[in-house]
Amino acid sequence: MVNAEIFALFNTKISMKGEDNMDKKIIEIFMLKETSNNKSSMGGGCCSSGCGCGSVQSLTMGELVERFYKKYDSVGKIKIYKLTGENKKEFILRLNKVFLDSGERLVVSEANLDFVLSKVTPLIAVNGNVISVKNYPDEEQLYNAIMTGKKIPTKSGCC
């Protein structure tokens, strides 16, 4: 992936030194390992079933990040958290911090992790506040949500 930084969950410290980085946003994407290959349509798409309800071309989350960086490189730094067996506890801690910062009352534990992730991933947060749940936005939708702080509406099922 060109220009996109994908961090292991263990690397949660971010250096924001320098005047140029002071306004940069921290964009976090939480994903199940399996969802990293899910596709979204160019128009944001509603599903990956091939039902033809979106546009013809599809993007993976990695491709979305790459396209976002090409257009909006100076906006922020993207961190992608993919759940693995090795990072489960750290993943839960960071996800709970995002939920708390967003005013959500949901508390994730190992017991409910699979259920919660099936309902919210991919989850996108900006500076600790959730802006997208169960959504694959296009780069413009992502940019607009980052700049306005407004949530990206969840698409209703089309298939």
Side-chain angles (χ1 to χ4, degrees), residues 29-36 38 61 81-83 91 95 99 113-124 132-136 154:
I29 302 172
F30 293 86
M31 301 173 56
L32 290 170
K33 186 176 180 185
E34 309 83 70
T35 61
S36 63
N38 278 0
M61 189 60 77
Y81 299 111
K82 294 181 185 175
L83 179 63
F91 188 97
L95 190 57
F99 283 148
L113 179 64
D114 291 338
F115 177 77
V116 170
L117 293 180
S118 73
K119 300 298 182 190
V120 302
T121 57
L123 181 134
I124 302 172
S132 179
V133 175
K134 197 114 179 136
N135 215 352
Y136 286 86
T154 303

Side-chain angles (χ1 to χ4, degrees), residues 6 14 41 51 60 79 82 94 102 121 129 133 141 153 157:
I6 298 180
I14 299 169
S41 78
C51 64
T60 64
K79 296 175 67 173
K82 294 181 185 175
R94 184 63 201 145
S102 293
T121 57
N129 293 308
V133 175
Q141 289 172 317

